Amino acid sequence: MNILILGGGGREHALAWACAQNPKCDRLFCAPGNAGIARLAECAAVDILNGDAVVEFCAARAIDFVIIGPESPLAAGVADDLCAAGILTFGPGRAAARLETSKTFTKELCAAAGAPTAAWARFTDAAAARAHIAERGVPIVVKADGLAAGKGVTVARTETAAMAAIDALFGGDFGPAGDAVVIEEYLPGEEASFFVLCDGDTLLPLGTAQDHKRARDGDTGPNTGGMGAYSPAPVVTGAVATVTMDRIIKPCMAEMARRGTPYQGVLYAGLMIRDGTPRLVEFNARFGDPECQVLMLRLGAQALDLLHACAEGRLHQTRALWADDHALTVVMAAAGYPYATEPGSAIRGLEACPDTGDTVVFHAGTRMQGGCLVGTGGRVLSVTARGFTLQEARDRAYGVLAQVDWPGGFWRRDIGWRAL
Ligand code: AMP
Ligand code: GLY
């Protein structure tokens, strides 16, 4: 089959890496892709937020299957356009992607499904939001209702910080995403990411991971898209996984189907776990980045079979075969990330890095410039390794990373600390 992957980050490189190993994959395309993906797939400059343009590309290249990586094409309804054109697609339509694009939608869904989550209130008026914060006290969590590229959330430990977040959101810092604000109860505990494939009917758990959102060692510094991850997450014990499926995933997915918007794709549940009890922090309608890198390294080629079966509504015929292994990824980011970065600094040494089934340097934001590999964004590389133990995976990942010669980058030195 001919496959098109939408996106161009480390997540999409990992998806391409898994697909390329599967003998069912004939031609592999990626839009827009990046310099690492270009070694496995034909990269194409298609506007991935324009459904008509994607459909046209699929027709021209005889694409049989589209895998949507990031949330923005989902929010733009590209999966709906592809399905309307009869092209098999992995990823939910716009209506079901509201699980990620609207915090209010998810909160109401949880209420209808009886799924445990933080108490919340929604405000479109700054004065009422401030009064609510004054009444509830801190710590408290202030969120933009809409998509804000992972930057619309403030976990406020002081009232001043909470009020500043209200000012920023209603002041327009986050555009229309901040027109409505959700204020939530602060949930203490340990976070984990829980992934499930859903074909509208059958659910297939696809592993767990933990990421590191803060930019600096010791979980300090600003929030980022994720500086590293590992899988599995030890905090998600068998008992926690069972409760998560029974109390959160199954009832929420049943409620989506009942409403006439069954969910198809990967559901990423962000959990807060305390004393063995999970509560839902958020849903995302896609794989996490960099969590996808560790999941794909562990799953390998079978990932394509699972995603394909999911899109075709055949998940009941599948199962995921897990080795008793661990994977860990370390993100190398451009100096300055998550704020403005200088693009274009040269990266050397990757040729010498081993590319075995156990270690892969996924590219998150790279391109070739005058024969030289350069970084193009904030997150640039995702150095990923697998091992029998988490310690082994970590040692391998940092061993490979040491061979990368990139003075313009920085990375955390403590990925996995919580589990080791
Ligand atoms: P979100 O964009 O909703 O995933 O929020 C970003 C991060 O903020 C989460 O990964 C958590 O670390 C934190 N967070 C969000 N909501 C809460 C909450 N209710 N209690 C504690 N931490 C939260
Ligand atoms: N790593 C967090 C996310 O992809 O949302």
Side-chain angles (χ1 to χ4, degrees), residues 193 195 206-210 229-234 291 293-296 298 322 325-329 385-387 389-390 393:
S193 307
F195 297 89
L206 204 67
T208 61
Q210 268 177 310
Y230 54 94
S231 172
E291 292 95 323
Q293 288 86 307
V294 287
L295 295 180
M296 290 304 127
R298 295 186 63 210
W322 293 101
D325 63 357
H326 297 257
L328 180 142
T329 190
R386 201 161 72 107
T389 62
L390 185 62

Side-chain angles (χ1 to χ4, degrees), residues 114 205 271 419:
L271 305 175

Side-chain angles (χ1 to χ4, degrees), residues 103 118 141 143 150 153 155 184-187 191 213 272 281-282:
K103 304 227 186 271
V141 183
K143 304 185 175 186
V153 175
V155 178
E184 271 183 25
E185 165 198 8
Y186 171 78
L187 298 177
E191 267 187 285
K213 291 212 164 86
M272 193 67 86
V281 175
E282 61 164 355

